Short mmCIF file of all heavy atoms in Angstrom, two decimals:
data_model
loop_
_atom_site.label_atom_id
_atom_site.label_comp_id
_atom_site.label_asym_id
_atom_site.label_seq_id
_atom_site.Cartn_x
_atom_site.Cartn_y
_atom_site.Cartn_z
N MET X 319 -117.50 -89.71 -153.95
CA MET X 319 -116.83 -88.53 -154.48
C MET X 319 -116.45 -88.79 -155.93
O MET X 319 -115.86 -89.81 -156.25
CB MET X 319 -115.59 -88.24 -153.63
CG MET X 319 -114.93 -86.95 -154.00
SD MET X 319 -113.47 -86.56 -153.00
CE MET X 319 -114.22 -86.39 -151.40
N LYS X 320 -116.81 -87.85 -156.78
CA LYS X 320 -116.53 -87.97 -158.20
C LYS X 320 -115.04 -87.78 -158.48
O LYS X 320 -114.41 -86.90 -157.93
CB LYS X 320 -117.33 -86.90 -158.95
CG LYS X 320 -117.14 -86.91 -160.42
CD LYS X 320 -118.20 -87.67 -161.11
CE LYS X 320 -118.13 -87.37 -162.60
NZ LYS X 320 -117.88 -88.49 -163.39
N LYS X 321 -114.51 -88.62 -159.34
CA LYS X 321 -113.08 -88.55 -159.72
C LYS X 321 -112.97 -88.31 -161.21
O LYS X 321 -113.73 -88.85 -162.00
CB LYS X 321 -112.36 -89.85 -159.37
CG LYS X 321 -112.44 -90.24 -157.90
CD LYS X 321 -111.52 -89.38 -157.08
CE LYS X 321 -111.56 -89.85 -155.65
NZ LYS X 321 -110.56 -89.23 -154.84
N THR X 322 -111.99 -87.50 -161.59
CA THR X 322 -111.73 -87.19 -162.99
C THR X 322 -110.24 -87.32 -163.25
O THR X 322 -109.43 -86.85 -162.46
CB THR X 322 -112.18 -85.74 -163.32
OG1 THR X 322 -113.54 -85.59 -162.95
CG2 THR X 322 -112.01 -85.44 -164.79
N ARG X 323 -109.88 -87.93 -164.36
CA ARG X 323 -108.46 -88.06 -164.72
C ARG X 323 -108.12 -86.89 -165.64
O ARG X 323 -108.82 -86.61 -166.61
CB ARG X 323 -108.22 -89.38 -165.42
CG ARG X 323 -106.76 -89.65 -165.70
CD ARG X 323 -106.55 -91.13 -166.05
NE ARG X 323 -105.19 -91.50 -165.98
CZ ARG X 323 -104.51 -91.77 -164.87
NH1 ARG X 323 -105.14 -91.70 -163.71
NH2 ARG X 323 -103.25 -92.12 -164.89
N ILE X 324 -107.01 -86.20 -165.32
CA ILE X 324 -106.57 -85.05 -166.12
C ILE X 324 -105.13 -85.25 -166.57
O ILE X 324 -104.39 -86.03 -165.98
CB ILE X 324 -106.70 -83.73 -165.34
CG1 ILE X 324 -105.87 -83.73 -164.04
CG2 ILE X 324 -108.13 -83.42 -165.00
CD1 ILE X 324 -104.69 -82.85 -164.08
N ARG X 325 -104.77 -84.54 -167.63
CA ARG X 325 -103.37 -84.50 -168.11
C ARG X 325 -103.00 -83.03 -168.29
O ARG X 325 -103.73 -82.28 -168.95
CB ARG X 325 -103.21 -85.22 -169.43
CG ARG X 325 -101.77 -85.14 -169.96
CD ARG X 325 -101.57 -85.79 -171.31
NE ARG X 325 -101.85 -87.22 -171.20
CZ ARG X 325 -102.44 -87.94 -172.17
NH1 ARG X 325 -102.82 -87.36 -173.28
NH2 ARG X 325 -102.65 -89.21 -172.00
N ILE X 326 -101.89 -82.63 -167.73
CA ILE X 326 -101.42 -81.27 -167.88
C ILE X 326 -100.84 -81.10 -169.27
O ILE X 326 -99.99 -81.89 -169.69
CB ILE X 326 -100.37 -80.93 -166.81
CG1 ILE X 326 -101.00 -81.01 -165.42
CG2 ILE X 326 -99.76 -79.55 -167.05
CD1 ILE X 326 -100.05 -80.78 -164.28
N THR X 327 -101.29 -80.07 -169.99
CA THR X 327 -100.82 -79.83 -171.36
C THR X 327 -99.94 -78.59 -171.46
O THR X 327 -99.22 -78.44 -172.44
CB THR X 327 -102.00 -79.69 -172.34
OG1 THR X 327 -102.85 -78.63 -171.90
CG2 THR X 327 -102.79 -80.99 -172.42
N GLU X 328 -100.02 -77.70 -170.47
CA GLU X 328 -99.19 -76.49 -170.51
C GLU X 328 -99.04 -75.94 -169.09
O GLU X 328 -100.00 -75.91 -168.33
CB GLU X 328 -99.83 -75.42 -171.38
CG GLU X 328 -99.06 -74.14 -171.44
CD GLU X 328 -99.78 -73.06 -172.25
OE1 GLU X 328 -100.88 -73.31 -172.75
OE2 GLU X 328 -99.21 -71.97 -172.36
N VAL X 329 -97.83 -75.52 -168.77
CA VAL X 329 -97.58 -74.82 -167.51
C VAL X 329 -96.89 -73.51 -167.87
O VAL X 329 -95.76 -73.52 -168.36
CB VAL X 329 -96.69 -75.64 -166.55
CG1 VAL X 329 -96.37 -74.84 -165.30
CG2 VAL X 329 -97.34 -76.95 -166.19
N ASN X 330 -97.58 -72.41 -167.68
CA ASN X 330 -97.04 -71.09 -168.02
C ASN X 330 -96.56 -70.43 -166.74
O ASN X 330 -97.27 -69.64 -166.13
CB ASN X 330 -98.11 -70.25 -168.72
CG ASN X 330 -97.54 -68.99 -169.31
OD1 ASN X 330 -96.40 -68.64 -169.05
ND2 ASN X 330 -98.35 -68.32 -170.10
N ALA X 331 -95.34 -70.76 -166.30
CA ALA X 331 -94.80 -70.26 -165.04
C ALA X 331 -94.64 -68.75 -165.05
O ALA X 331 -94.80 -68.11 -164.01
CB ALA X 331 -93.46 -70.93 -164.74
N ASN X 332 -94.38 -68.16 -166.19
CA ASN X 332 -94.24 -66.70 -166.28
C ASN X 332 -95.57 -66.02 -165.99
O ASN X 332 -95.61 -64.97 -165.37
CB ASN X 332 -93.73 -66.28 -167.64
CG ASN X 332 -92.32 -66.74 -167.88
OD1 ASN X 332 -91.53 -66.84 -166.95
ND2 ASN X 332 -91.99 -67.04 -169.12
N ARG X 333 -96.64 -66.62 -166.43
CA ARG X 333 -97.97 -66.04 -166.25
C ARG X 333 -98.38 -66.02 -164.78
O ARG X 333 -98.95 -65.05 -164.31
CB ARG X 333 -98.98 -66.83 -167.07
CG ARG X 333 -100.39 -66.41 -166.91
CD ARG X 333 -100.68 -65.19 -167.75
NE ARG X 333 -102.11 -64.95 -167.71
CZ ARG X 333 -102.64 -63.80 -167.91
NH1 ARG X 333 -101.90 -62.77 -168.20
NH2 ARG X 333 -103.93 -63.63 -167.85
N ILE X 334 -98.08 -67.09 -164.03
CA ILE X 334 -98.46 -67.15 -162.62
C ILE X 334 -97.37 -66.64 -161.71
O ILE X 334 -97.58 -66.46 -160.52
CB ILE X 334 -98.89 -68.57 -162.20
CG1 ILE X 334 -97.79 -69.59 -162.48
CG2 ILE X 334 -100.18 -68.96 -162.87
CD1 ILE X 334 -98.11 -70.99 -162.03
N GLY X 335 -96.19 -66.37 -162.26
CA GLY X 335 -95.11 -65.76 -161.49
C GLY X 335 -94.37 -66.71 -160.56
O GLY X 335 -93.75 -66.27 -159.61
N TRP X 336 -94.41 -67.99 -160.82
CA TRP X 336 -93.73 -68.96 -159.96
C TRP X 336 -92.70 -69.72 -160.76
O TRP X 336 -92.94 -70.07 -161.91
CB TRP X 336 -94.72 -69.97 -159.37
CG TRP X 336 -95.79 -69.36 -158.54
CD1 TRP X 336 -97.09 -69.22 -158.89
CD2 TRP X 336 -95.66 -68.81 -157.23
NE1 TRP X 336 -97.78 -68.62 -157.88
CE2 TRP X 336 -96.94 -68.36 -156.85
CE3 TRP X 336 -94.60 -68.66 -156.35
CZ2 TRP X 336 -97.16 -67.77 -155.62
CZ3 TRP X 336 -94.83 -68.07 -155.14
CH2 TRP X 336 -96.09 -67.63 -154.78
N HIS X 337 -91.56 -70.00 -160.16
CA HIS X 337 -90.49 -70.75 -160.80
C HIS X 337 -89.91 -71.74 -159.82
O HIS X 337 -89.89 -71.51 -158.61
CB HIS X 337 -89.38 -69.81 -161.29
CG HIS X 337 -89.86 -68.82 -162.29
ND1 HIS X 337 -90.10 -69.14 -163.60
CD2 HIS X 337 -90.19 -67.51 -162.17
CE1 HIS X 337 -90.54 -68.09 -164.25
NE2 HIS X 337 -90.60 -67.08 -163.40
N GLY X 338 -89.39 -72.84 -160.31
CA GLY X 338 -88.67 -73.82 -159.49
C GLY X 338 -89.48 -74.36 -158.33
O GLY X 338 -90.56 -74.88 -158.51
N LEU X 339 -88.93 -74.22 -157.14
CA LEU X 339 -89.58 -74.75 -155.94
C LEU X 339 -90.91 -74.06 -155.65
O LEU X 339 -91.82 -74.69 -155.12
CB LEU X 339 -88.65 -74.63 -154.73
CG LEU X 339 -87.41 -75.51 -154.77
CD1 LEU X 339 -86.53 -75.23 -153.56
CD2 LEU X 339 -87.79 -76.98 -154.81
N MET X 340 -91.02 -72.79 -155.99
CA MET X 340 -92.28 -72.08 -155.76
C MET X 340 -93.38 -72.62 -156.67
O MET X 340 -94.53 -72.69 -156.27
CB MET X 340 -92.10 -70.58 -155.96
CG MET X 340 -91.24 -69.94 -154.90
SD MET X 340 -91.85 -70.21 -153.22
CE MET X 340 -93.33 -69.24 -153.24
N LEU X 341 -93.03 -73.02 -157.89
CA LEU X 341 -94.00 -73.64 -158.78
C LEU X 341 -94.47 -74.96 -158.21
O LEU X 341 -95.66 -75.27 -158.22
CB LEU X 341 -93.41 -73.84 -160.18
CG LEU X 341 -94.32 -74.49 -161.21
CD1 LEU X 341 -95.56 -73.64 -161.43
CD2 LEU X 341 -93.59 -74.72 -162.51
N ASP X 342 -93.53 -75.73 -157.66
CA ASP X 342 -93.88 -77.00 -157.02
C ASP X 342 -94.84 -76.77 -155.84
O ASP X 342 -95.80 -77.48 -155.66
CB ASP X 342 -92.61 -77.72 -156.55
CG ASP X 342 -92.88 -79.12 -156.08
OD1 ASP X 342 -93.54 -79.87 -156.83
OD2 ASP X 342 -92.45 -79.46 -154.96
N ARG X 343 -94.54 -75.74 -155.06
CA ARG X 343 -95.39 -75.41 -153.92
C ARG X 343 -96.79 -74.96 -154.38
O ARG X 343 -97.80 -75.29 -153.78
CB ARG X 343 -94.73 -74.33 -153.08
CG ARG X 343 -95.42 -74.05 -151.81
CD ARG X 343 -94.62 -73.13 -150.94
NE ARG X 343 -95.31 -72.90 -149.70
CZ ARG X 343 -94.91 -72.10 -148.76
NH1 ARG X 343 -93.77 -71.44 -148.92
NH2 ARG X 343 -95.60 -71.94 -147.67
N TYR X 344 -96.85 -74.17 -155.46
CA TYR X 344 -98.12 -73.73 -156.03
C TYR X 344 -98.97 -74.94 -156.47
O TYR X 344 -100.16 -75.01 -156.17
CB TYR X 344 -97.87 -72.80 -157.22
CG TYR X 344 -99.11 -72.41 -157.99
CD1 TYR X 344 -99.99 -71.47 -157.48
CD2 TYR X 344 -99.39 -72.99 -159.22
CE1 TYR X 344 -101.13 -71.11 -158.19
CE2 TYR X 344 -100.51 -72.64 -159.93
CZ TYR X 344 -101.39 -71.70 -159.41
OH TYR X 344 -102.51 -71.36 -160.12
N MET X 345 -98.32 -75.88 -157.16
CA MET X 345 -99.03 -77.07 -157.62
C MET X 345 -99.53 -77.90 -156.44
O MET X 345 -100.62 -78.46 -156.49
CB MET X 345 -98.14 -77.93 -158.51
CG MET X 345 -97.69 -77.25 -159.76
SD MET X 345 -99.02 -77.05 -160.91
CE MET X 345 -98.40 -77.93 -162.29
N ASN X 346 -98.75 -77.95 -155.38
CA ASN X 346 -99.08 -78.75 -154.22
C ASN X 346 -100.13 -78.09 -153.33
O ASN X 346 -101.14 -78.69 -152.99
CB ASN X 346 -97.81 -79.06 -153.42
CG ASN X 346 -98.03 -80.08 -152.35
OD1 ASN X 346 -98.94 -80.89 -152.44
ND2 ASN X 346 -97.22 -80.06 -151.33
N GLU X 347 -99.90 -76.85 -152.93
CA GLU X 347 -100.73 -76.21 -151.92
C GLU X 347 -101.93 -75.46 -152.48
O GLU X 347 -102.95 -75.36 -151.80
CB GLU X 347 -99.88 -75.27 -151.07
CG GLU X 347 -98.84 -76.01 -150.26
CD GLU X 347 -97.99 -75.10 -149.41
OE1 GLU X 347 -98.28 -73.89 -149.34
OE2 GLU X 347 -97.03 -75.61 -148.81
N THR X 348 -101.84 -74.92 -153.67
CA THR X 348 -102.95 -74.17 -154.24
C THR X 348 -103.85 -75.07 -155.09
O THR X 348 -105.06 -75.05 -154.95
CB THR X 348 -102.44 -72.98 -155.08
OG1 THR X 348 -101.61 -72.18 -154.25
CG2 THR X 348 -103.60 -72.15 -155.59
N LEU X 349 -103.22 -75.85 -155.95
CA LEU X 349 -104.00 -76.73 -156.83
C LEU X 349 -104.26 -78.10 -156.21
O LEU X 349 -105.05 -78.86 -156.74
CB LEU X 349 -103.29 -76.89 -158.18
CG LEU X 349 -103.05 -75.58 -158.94
CD1 LEU X 349 -102.33 -75.87 -160.24
CD2 LEU X 349 -104.34 -74.83 -159.18
N HIS X 350 -103.57 -78.41 -155.12
CA HIS X 350 -103.75 -79.67 -154.39
C HIS X 350 -103.46 -80.89 -155.26
O HIS X 350 -104.12 -81.93 -155.13
CB HIS X 350 -105.15 -79.76 -153.79
CG HIS X 350 -105.45 -78.63 -152.85
ND1 HIS X 350 -104.97 -78.61 -151.58
CD2 HIS X 350 -106.15 -77.49 -153.03
CE1 HIS X 350 -105.38 -77.50 -150.99
NE2 HIS X 350 -106.10 -76.79 -151.86
N LEU X 351 -102.48 -80.77 -156.14
CA LEU X 351 -102.05 -81.91 -156.96
C LEU X 351 -101.00 -82.69 -156.19
O LEU X 351 -100.12 -82.11 -155.56
CB LEU X 351 -101.48 -81.43 -158.30
CG LEU X 351 -102.48 -80.70 -159.20
CD1 LEU X 351 -101.76 -80.17 -160.42
CD2 LEU X 351 -103.62 -81.61 -159.59
N ARG X 352 -101.08 -84.00 -156.25
CA ARG X 352 -100.14 -84.83 -155.51
C ARG X 352 -98.90 -85.17 -156.33
O ARG X 352 -97.79 -85.14 -155.82
CB ARG X 352 -100.85 -86.12 -155.06
CG ARG X 352 -101.92 -85.86 -154.02
CD ARG X 352 -102.67 -87.12 -153.64
NE ARG X 352 -103.39 -87.72 -154.77
CZ ARG X 352 -104.58 -87.32 -155.19
NH1 ARG X 352 -105.20 -86.33 -154.62
NH2 ARG X 352 -105.18 -87.93 -156.19
N THR X 353 -99.09 -85.55 -157.60
CA THR X 353 -97.95 -86.02 -158.39
C THR X 353 -97.73 -85.24 -159.68
O THR X 353 -96.60 -85.17 -160.16
CB THR X 353 -98.12 -87.51 -158.75
OG1 THR X 353 -99.34 -87.68 -159.48
CG2 THR X 353 -98.14 -88.37 -157.51
N ALA X 354 -98.76 -84.67 -160.28
CA ALA X 354 -98.63 -83.97 -161.56
C ALA X 354 -97.92 -82.64 -161.36
O ALA X 354 -98.34 -81.82 -160.56
CB ALA X 354 -100.01 -83.74 -162.17
N ARG X 355 -96.81 -82.45 -162.05
CA ARG X 355 -96.01 -81.23 -161.89
C ARG X 355 -95.61 -80.60 -163.23
O ARG X 355 -95.37 -79.43 -163.30
CB ARG X 355 -94.72 -81.52 -161.11
CG ARG X 355 -94.93 -81.95 -159.70
CD ARG X 355 -95.36 -80.75 -158.85
NE ARG X 355 -95.49 -81.11 -157.46
CZ ARG X 355 -96.64 -81.44 -156.88
NH1 ARG X 355 -97.75 -81.47 -157.57
NH2 ARG X 355 -96.69 -81.72 -155.60
N LYS X 356 -95.51 -81.41 -164.28
CA LYS X 356 -95.02 -80.87 -165.55
C LYS X 356 -95.91 -81.36 -166.69
O LYS X 356 -96.80 -82.18 -166.49
CB LYS X 356 -93.57 -81.28 -165.78
CG LYS X 356 -93.31 -82.76 -165.79
CD LYS X 356 -91.81 -83.05 -165.89
CE LYS X 356 -91.49 -84.49 -166.05
NZ LYS X 356 -91.92 -85.41 -165.05
N VAL X 357 -95.67 -80.84 -167.86
CA VAL X 357 -96.47 -81.18 -169.03
C VAL X 357 -96.41 -82.68 -169.30
O VAL X 357 -95.34 -83.28 -169.28
CB VAL X 357 -95.96 -80.38 -170.26
CG1 VAL X 357 -96.68 -80.83 -171.52
CG2 VAL X 357 -96.14 -78.90 -170.03
N GLY X 358 -97.56 -83.27 -169.51
CA GLY X 358 -97.66 -84.69 -169.80
C GLY X 358 -98.01 -85.54 -168.59
O GLY X 358 -98.41 -86.69 -168.74
N ASP X 359 -97.87 -84.99 -167.39
CA ASP X 359 -98.21 -85.74 -166.17
C ASP X 359 -99.72 -85.89 -166.05
O ASP X 359 -100.48 -84.99 -166.40
CB ASP X 359 -97.67 -85.04 -164.92
CG ASP X 359 -96.18 -85.13 -164.78
OD1 ASP X 359 -95.56 -85.88 -165.56
OD2 ASP X 359 -95.64 -84.47 -163.89
N GLU X 360 -100.13 -87.06 -165.57
CA GLU X 360 -101.55 -87.35 -165.38
C GLU X 360 -101.82 -87.59 -163.90
O GLU X 360 -100.96 -88.05 -163.17
CB GLU X 360 -101.96 -88.59 -166.17
CG GLU X 360 -101.85 -88.44 -167.66
CD GLU X 360 -102.28 -89.69 -168.40
OE1 GLU X 360 -102.80 -90.63 -167.77
OE2 GLU X 360 -102.09 -89.73 -169.62
N GLU X 361 -103.06 -87.28 -163.50
CA GLU X 361 -103.46 -87.50 -162.12
C GLU X 361 -104.98 -87.62 -162.05
O GLU X 361 -105.70 -87.02 -162.85
CB GLU X 361 -102.99 -86.34 -161.24
CG GLU X 361 -103.26 -86.56 -159.78
CD GLU X 361 -102.54 -85.58 -158.89
OE1 GLU X 361 -101.51 -85.02 -159.30
OE2 GLU X 361 -103.00 -85.40 -157.76
N VAL X 362 -105.46 -88.38 -161.09
CA VAL X 362 -106.89 -88.47 -160.80
C VAL X 362 -107.19 -87.43 -159.73
O VAL X 362 -106.55 -87.41 -158.68
CB VAL X 362 -107.27 -89.88 -160.32
CG1 VAL X 362 -108.74 -89.93 -159.93
CG2 VAL X 362 -106.97 -90.91 -161.39
N VAL X 363 -108.14 -86.53 -160.03
CA VAL X 363 -108.47 -85.44 -159.12
C VAL X 363 -109.94 -85.51 -158.72
O VAL X 363 -110.76 -86.08 -159.44
CB VAL X 363 -108.16 -84.07 -159.75
CG1 VAL X 363 -106.68 -83.92 -160.04
CG2 VAL X 363 -108.96 -83.83 -161.01
N ASN X 364 -110.26 -84.92 -157.57
CA ASN X 364 -111.65 -84.84 -157.16
C ASN X 364 -112.25 -83.51 -157.62
O ASN X 364 -111.59 -82.71 -158.27
CB ASN X 364 -111.78 -85.04 -155.64
CG ASN X 364 -111.06 -83.98 -154.84
OD1 ASN X 364 -110.93 -82.84 -155.28
ND2 ASN X 364 -110.57 -84.37 -153.67
N ASN X 365 -113.52 -83.26 -157.29
CA ASN X 365 -114.20 -82.06 -157.78
C ASN X 365 -113.58 -80.77 -157.25
O ASN X 365 -113.54 -79.77 -157.95
CB ASN X 365 -115.68 -82.10 -157.43
CG ASN X 365 -116.44 -83.06 -158.32
OD1 ASN X 365 -115.97 -83.39 -159.41
ND2 ASN X 365 -117.60 -83.50 -157.88
N PHE X 366 -113.12 -80.77 -156.01
CA PHE X 366 -112.47 -79.57 -155.46
C PHE X 366 -111.21 -79.23 -156.25
O PHE X 366 -110.99 -78.08 -156.64
CB PHE X 366 -112.14 -79.76 -153.98
CG PHE X 366 -111.40 -78.59 -153.40
CD1 PHE X 366 -112.08 -77.43 -153.10
CD2 PHE X 366 -110.04 -78.64 -153.20
CE1 PHE X 366 -111.41 -76.33 -152.58
CE2 PHE X 366 -109.36 -77.55 -152.68
CZ PHE X 366 -110.05 -76.40 -152.36
N GLN X 367 -110.37 -80.23 -156.49
CA GLN X 367 -109.14 -80.02 -157.24
C GLN X 367 -109.47 -79.56 -158.66
O GLN X 367 -108.79 -78.69 -159.21
CB GLN X 367 -108.32 -81.30 -157.29
CG GLN X 367 -107.73 -81.70 -155.96
CD GLN X 367 -107.20 -83.12 -155.99
OE1 GLN X 367 -107.91 -84.03 -156.39
NE2 GLN X 367 -105.96 -83.28 -155.58
N LEU X 368 -110.51 -80.13 -159.25
CA LEU X 368 -110.91 -79.76 -160.60
C LEU X 368 -111.34 -78.29 -160.64
O LEU X 368 -111.03 -77.57 -161.59
CB LEU X 368 -112.04 -80.66 -161.09
CG LEU X 368 -112.41 -80.59 -162.56
CD1 LEU X 368 -111.21 -80.89 -163.44
CD2 LEU X 368 -113.55 -81.56 -162.86
N GLY X 369 -112.02 -77.84 -159.62
CA GLY X 369 -112.40 -76.43 -159.53
C GLY X 369 -111.19 -75.52 -159.44
O GLY X 369 -111.13 -74.47 -160.08
N GLN X 370 -110.20 -75.90 -158.64
CA GLN X 370 -108.96 -75.13 -158.52
C GLN X 370 -108.22 -75.09 -159.86
O GLN X 370 -107.68 -74.07 -160.26
CB GLN X 370 -108.06 -75.71 -157.44
CG GLN X 370 -108.61 -75.63 -156.04
CD GLN X 370 -108.71 -74.21 -155.55
OE1 GLN X 370 -109.75 -73.58 -155.69
NE2 GLN X 370 -107.65 -73.71 -154.99
N LEU X 371 -108.21 -76.23 -160.56
CA LEU X 371 -107.56 -76.31 -161.87
C LEU X 371 -108.27 -75.43 -162.89
O LEU X 371 -107.63 -74.75 -163.69
CB LEU X 371 -107.50 -77.75 -162.35
CG LEU X 371 -106.48 -78.63 -161.66
CD1 LEU X 371 -106.79 -80.10 -161.91
CD2 LEU X 371 -105.08 -78.31 -162.13
N ASN X 372 -109.60 -75.43 -162.86
CA ASN X 372 -110.37 -74.59 -163.79
C ASN X 372 -110.10 -73.12 -163.54
O ASN X 372 -110.01 -72.32 -164.47
CB ASN X 372 -111.87 -74.89 -163.68
CG ASN X 372 -112.24 -76.17 -164.38
OD1 ASN X 372 -111.65 -76.53 -165.40
ND2 ASN X 372 -113.21 -76.88 -163.85
N ARG X 373 -109.95 -72.72 -162.27
CA ARG X 373 -109.63 -71.33 -161.94
C ARG X 373 -108.24 -70.97 -162.47
O ARG X 373 -108.06 -69.90 -163.06
CB ARG X 373 -109.69 -71.12 -160.44
CG ARG X 373 -109.35 -69.69 -160.04
CD ARG X 373 -109.48 -69.50 -158.57
NE ARG X 373 -110.88 -69.59 -158.22
CZ ARG X 373 -111.34 -69.57 -156.98
NH1 ARG X 373 -110.51 -69.50 -155.98
NH2 ARG X 373 -112.63 -69.63 -156.74
N ALA X 374 -107.27 -71.85 -162.27
CA ALA X 374 -105.92 -71.60 -162.77
C ALA X 374 -105.90 -71.54 -164.29
O ALA X 374 -105.17 -70.75 -164.89
CB ALA X 374 -104.96 -72.68 -162.27
N LYS X 375 -106.73 -72.37 -164.92
CA LYS X 375 -106.82 -72.36 -166.38
C LYS X 375 -107.42 -71.04 -166.87
O LYS X 375 -106.97 -70.48 -167.87
CB LYS X 375 -107.68 -73.54 -166.85
CG LYS X 375 -107.75 -73.73 -168.33
CD LYS X 375 -108.52 -74.98 -168.68
CE LYS X 375 -108.54 -75.26 -170.16
NZ LYS X 375 -109.21 -76.53 -170.46
N ALA X 376 -108.40 -70.52 -166.16
CA ALA X 376 -109.02 -69.25 -166.54
C ALA X 376 -108.03 -68.10 -166.45
O ALA X 376 -108.07 -67.16 -167.25
CB ALA X 376 -110.24 -68.98 -165.66
N TYR X 377 -107.12 -68.15 -165.48
CA TYR X 377 -106.10 -67.12 -165.32
C TYR X 377 -104.94 -67.30 -166.28
O TYR X 377 -104.07 -66.45 -166.36
CB TYR X 377 -105.57 -67.08 -163.89
CG TYR X 377 -106.57 -66.59 -162.88
CD1 TYR X 377 -106.67 -67.19 -161.64
CD2 TYR X 377 -107.43 -65.53 -163.16
CE1 TYR X 377 -107.61 -66.75 -160.70
CE2 TYR X 377 -108.35 -65.09 -162.24
CZ TYR X 377 -108.43 -65.69 -161.01
OH TYR X 377 -109.34 -65.25 -160.09
N GLY X 378 -104.89 -68.43 -166.98
CA GLY X 378 -103.84 -68.66 -167.96
C GLY X 378 -102.57 -69.25 -167.41
O GLY X 378 -101.56 -69.30 -168.09
N GLY X 379 -102.59 -69.72 -166.16
CA GLY X 379 -101.40 -70.27 -165.55
C GLY X 379 -101.06 -71.67 -166.02
O GLY X 379 -99.90 -71.99 -166.24
N ILE X 380 -102.07 -72.50 -166.16
CA ILE X 380 -101.86 -73.86 -166.65
C ILE X 380 -102.98 -74.22 -167.59
O ILE X 380 -104.01 -73.55 -167.64
CB ILE X 380 -101.81 -74.90 -165.49
CG1 ILE X 380 -103.16 -75.01 -164.81
CG2 ILE X 380 -100.73 -74.57 -164.49
CD1 ILE X 380 -103.29 -76.22 -163.95
N ASP X 381 -102.78 -75.28 -168.33
CA ASP X 381 -103.82 -75.83 -169.18
C ASP X 381 -103.82 -77.33 -169.01
O ASP X 381 -102.76 -77.94 -168.77
CB ASP X 381 -103.58 -75.45 -170.65
CG ASP X 381 -104.82 -75.65 -171.51
OD1 ASP X 381 -105.91 -75.82 -170.93
OD2 ASP X 381 -104.69 -75.63 -172.74
N PHE X 382 -104.98 -77.95 -169.11
CA PHE X 382 -105.09 -79.38 -168.92
C PHE X 382 -106.27 -79.89 -169.74
O PHE X 382 -107.10 -79.12 -170.19
CB PHE X 382 -105.30 -79.73 -167.43
CG PHE X 382 -106.60 -79.24 -166.87
CD1 PHE X 382 -107.72 -80.07 -166.83
CD2 PHE X 382 -106.72 -77.95 -166.40
CE1 PHE X 382 -108.91 -79.61 -166.33
CE2 PHE X 382 -107.92 -77.48 -165.89
CZ PHE X 382 -109.02 -78.32 -165.85
N ILE X 383 -106.29 -81.21 -169.94
CA ILE X 383 -107.43 -81.84 -170.60
C ILE X 383 -107.95 -82.94 -169.70
O ILE X 383 -107.21 -83.50 -168.90
CB ILE X 383 -107.05 -82.42 -171.98
CG1 ILE X 383 -105.91 -83.42 -171.87
CG2 ILE X 383 -106.71 -81.32 -172.96
CD1 ILE X 383 -105.61 -84.17 -173.14
N LYS X 384 -109.24 -83.19 -169.81
CA LYS X 384 -109.85 -84.30 -169.08
C LYS X 384 -109.76 -85.54 -169.94
O LYS X 384 -110.01 -85.51 -171.14
CB LYS X 384 -111.32 -84.01 -168.79
CG LYS X 384 -111.54 -82.83 -167.89
CD LYS X 384 -113.02 -82.58 -167.71
CE LYS X 384 -113.27 -81.28 -167.00
NZ LYS X 384 -114.70 -80.97 -166.91
N LEU X 385 -109.37 -86.64 -169.36
CA LEU X 385 -109.23 -87.89 -170.10
C LEU X 385 -110.45 -88.77 -169.89
O LEU X 385 -111.12 -88.72 -168.92
CB LEU X 385 -107.97 -88.63 -169.66
CG LEU X 385 -106.68 -87.83 -169.83
CD1 LEU X 385 -105.51 -88.63 -169.30
CD2 LEU X 385 -106.47 -87.52 -171.29
#
């Protein structure tokens, strides 16, 4: 399984409509991130998670870079 390291560069909670605990739940259950929650956090993700992140990036909810 291919792995990619990412770093979150922006979280636009207003754009996705989630705040506080709901944002944490969104990151966990929708994006399937284990530890990355705020700007600057890094995580190793698989291709499925990368696809979810790309979809969220297209909607403007979060932004990230591949390391």
Side-chain angles (χ1 to χ4, degrees):
M319 186 179 297
K320 180 96 167 119
K321 302 285 183 170
T322 305
R323 186 165 195 79
I324 59 109
R325 177 182 297 143
I326 297 177
T327 58
E328 178 184 0
V329 176
N330 190 350
N332 293 328
R333 176 81 171 155
I334 57 177
W336 300 107
H337 299 283
L339 292 176
M340 291 303 291
L341 179 61
D342 189 50
R343 188 172 181 183
Y344 173 77
M345 297 290 239
N346 190 24
E347 295 180 7
T348 304
L349 301 179
H350 302 282
L351 296 175
R352 293 177 298 278
T353 58
R355 295 286 184 264
K356 58 186 186 302
V357 174
D359 288 352
E360 296 181 7
E361 185 167 336
V362 176
V363 297
N364 61 31
N365 284 340
F366 176 76
Q367 291 167 308
L368 191 58
Q370 295 293 93
L371 286 163
N372 283 326
R373 179 178 292 174
K375 186 175 184 176
Y377 291 140
I380 66 165
D381 197 14
F382 66 95
I383 57 172
K384 296 177 189 176
L385 302 177

